[in-house]
Structure formats: C-alpha cells, structure tokens
Amino acid sequence: MTTRRTHSCVPTSTHRGLQIFSLLIGCFGFLLSSQALADREGTLNLYLNAGQYWFDDKRLDGTPYFGLELEDSAGGGFGFGYNVTDRWAIEGVYDLFSVNVDDTDLDVRVSNYHFDLLYQFGGRFCGNFDWQPYVVFGAGELRVDESSSNVDLDWHRRQTMVNFGAGLKYRLGPRWQVRGDARGFQGVEEGGMDSFLSLSIGYQWGADPVVYDRDGDGVLDDVDECPQTPPGLDVDFRGCPIDSDGDGVPDYLDRCAMTPMGMTVNEDGCPRPSYDPADFAK
C-alpha cells in the first residue's frame, strides 16, 4: 500500500491540539504569578488520570504505517510520586490509549510512560491555601503496538519523548486532591510535538509532615497569609506585619502613624490631599 501525505491550509487536529495547549500554558502562566500552599515534604502520591491526547502527524514515522496519522484519542492511566521537599516532587506516570489509524479500519495501542520532576508553588492563591499551581518537566518513551485483529503483523515502535507543562491542584481534604494538567510531548527520534490535557484525582499518605516557618515570624507556613515578611517585624495572628491604624500600610512602611479611620492614604500611609477643582482651572 502506497500512501502520500497531503498538506492543507485547514488546521489539522494536531494543530488544534497545539493551539489548545498553548492557550492553557498561557493561562497557567498567569496562575503561577500567585502562590498557594505546597504539598508537604515526605508524602507519597497515587493518582488516576484521564484526558484527551493530540498526536503529531509524525508519530507513525518509522512504522509500517509510515505516511498515515493517528486519530486524536481519549485515554488515561495512573501516576505515583514522592514529595522530596514541600516544593520539589518526583513522579512516574503510565498512560494507555487505543487509537485508530486515520482513514483506515486499523487500530494501534499507544503507551506513554515517563519520569517527571515537579516544582510546586507555595503560599496563598486566590485567597485560599487549597489551590496549588505547579510546573513540570520530564522524559520517557511512547510505544506504538499493532492491535488490529485482522492484520497479521507483530511489531512495535518506541520513541523517546521529553515533556513539559503546568498544572493546578485543588485540595479536597487532608489526603485527597484533584488537579488539571496541560502537557506537551516532544519527539526526539521522529520530531513533532503531541499534547495532552488531563484531569486527575489523587490520594496522599506518609509520615508526619514537616511544616516550615520560612520567614521566621513565628507563624507556620501552612497558615501564614504573608509568607515573605521581612525579618524582625512584629506580626499578627495571620503572620502579616502589624498595621496599627488600619490604613492598609504596615507600620514598618507607614510614615504617618495613627491616620484617622477611613481616610484615604498613599503608599507611604499618609493622607492624600483633597481634590480641589480649582487646581485644574489654573
């Protein structure tokens, strides 16, 4: 069978997948500008995931189906990880997809297994410690196996893949959490980038957690609403610098202490001059 690739100005499903992936990375980039409570050091993580995978048109290069493409497919798998610190974690992931070869009645089985390193952002996000953004990168293999019952072939093709992405976790309880993940998988031997958008539910367990007080204000990080307070400052029960006059400017930055309640102040904590229309008539 002879096949030929055709090129079109109409975006393929792979291109649509990459567009979705790029959009999600941009959204997660905004999320990562804030902070949330990181997972605790020493915990183990087991999770199940499912999602949509977009295959690059090069993914069947080097196989008996060279020149054909894989249809974008839903699938999923599981992951197992360990929090080395409250910021860094390692994970192993296995996902499986049953995929149709585009414009044929042939099927292949695609396995994607990889080892990843995650960096989790700690602090407060969206006014809630339960949200936790993270970034991730890693490497592994994607294996394509013949699975059609009516084809007398016995072959497989393994390709090295590096991956990168970002995600957002939400804590459901002391041990349970859900997370959304947007990932790109770049082929090494054949090139091309796949993308995967997934949703997971996970469970954590382990020894008694270690909780830090990184800014040394006496309030532990898991409840500190101001986790980067300068050294030596007096703080309130939330871990935030004292603001005696309640004007929104902490005492150590306030140049006008004891401003009357309700008065509008500038960044130095001093009253703003009242508005005078005559100033604009001069």
Side-chain angles (χ1 to χ4, degrees):
M1 178 178 63
T2 302
T3 60
R4 182 180 61 187
R5 294 189 187 186
T6 59
H7 299 277
S8 171
C9 294
V10 179
T12 65
S13 58
T14 299
H15 294 152
R16 289 195 297 271
L18 295 179
Q19 291 171 354
I20 293 173
F21 176 77
S22 299
L23 177 61
L24 289 169
I25 288 296
C27 294
F28 283 126
F30 171 76
L31 296 177
L32 296 175
S33 63
S34 300
Q35 292 187 327
L37 180 64
D39 287 345
R40 290 170 172 172
E41 178 179 324
T43 55
L44 298 171
N45 306 281
L46 177 65
Y47 65 88
L48 302 176
N49 72 304
Q52 179 72 17
Y53 197 101
W54 290 268
F55 293 95
D56 188 85
D57 58 9
K58 298 179 181 294
R59 206 50 61 221
L60 288 177
D61 290 1
T63 76
Y65 298 148
F66 173 81
L68 298 177
E69 298 180 16
L70 294 174
E71 289 187 354
D72 303 327
S73 303
F78 62 90
F80 185 78
Y82 175 71
N83 288 303
V84 181
T85 72
D86 65 341
R87 296 293 191 271
W88 291 98
I90 53 177
E91 287 187 347
V93 184
Y94 177 82
D95 291 313
L96 181 64
F97 306 88
S98 179
V99 186
N100 179 249
V101 179
D102 203 17
D103 297 327
T104 74
D105 58 356
L106 303 172
D107 296 318
V108 296
R109 183 173 60 253
V110 178
S111 304
N112 189 357
Y113 38 92
H114 45 95
F115 186 74
D116 302 330
L117 181 64
L118 287 80
Y119 180 79
Q120 305 165 127
F121 291 76
R124 182 173 180 168
F125 172 71
C126 287
N128 192 324
F129 286 109
D130 291 332
W131 293 100
Q132 178 183 315
Y134 63 90
V135 292
V136 59
F137 58 93
E141 285 189 333
L142 184 141
R143 173 169 169 149
V144 182
D145 292 89
E146 173 63 55
S147 65
S148 298
S149 59
N150 60 339
V151 177
D152 187 19
L153 292 175
D154 183 13
W155 60 269
H156 70 269
R157 169 68 172 171
R158 293 191 298 182
Q159 305 174 44
T160 304
M161 308 289 283
V162 294
N163 73 84
F164 56 92
L168 183 65
K169 299 180 181 181
Y170 181 73
R171 191 182 307 274
L172 297 174
R175 298 295 182 183
W176 292 95
Q177 63 180 213
V178 294
R179 71 184 190 182
D181 191 289
R183 198 78 62 97
F185 291 87
Q186 176 64 44
V188 175
E189 290 88 358
E190 304 298 343
M193 189 176 77
D194 302 346
S195 54
F196 186 39
L197 178 63
S198 64
L199 184 67
S200 310
I201 183 167
Y203 181 79
Q204 296 183 331
W205 72 96
D208 292 338
V210 178
V211 184
Y212 294 97
D213 176 18
R214 285 189 169 80
D215 56 7
D217 60 3
V219 180
L220 297 178
D221 287 353
D222 60 347
V223 294
D224 195 335
E225 298 186 17
C226 299
Q228 298 178 348
T229 304
L233 295 181
D234 293 330
V235 299
D236 58 20
F237 69 96
R238 301 175 302 143
C240 294
I242 299 297
D243 177 17
S244 300
D245 54 8
D247 61 1
V249 180
D251 288 355
Y252 79 100
L253 296 175
D254 198 333
R255 297 185 179 181
C256 297
M258 305 311 295
T259 303
M261 184 66 67
M263 180 170 288
T264 303
V265 300
N266 58 21
E267 63 275 7
D268 295 323
C270 295
R272 292 183 181 276
S274 59
Y275 171 70
D276 184 358
D279 290 340
F280 296 91
K282 295 178 181 179

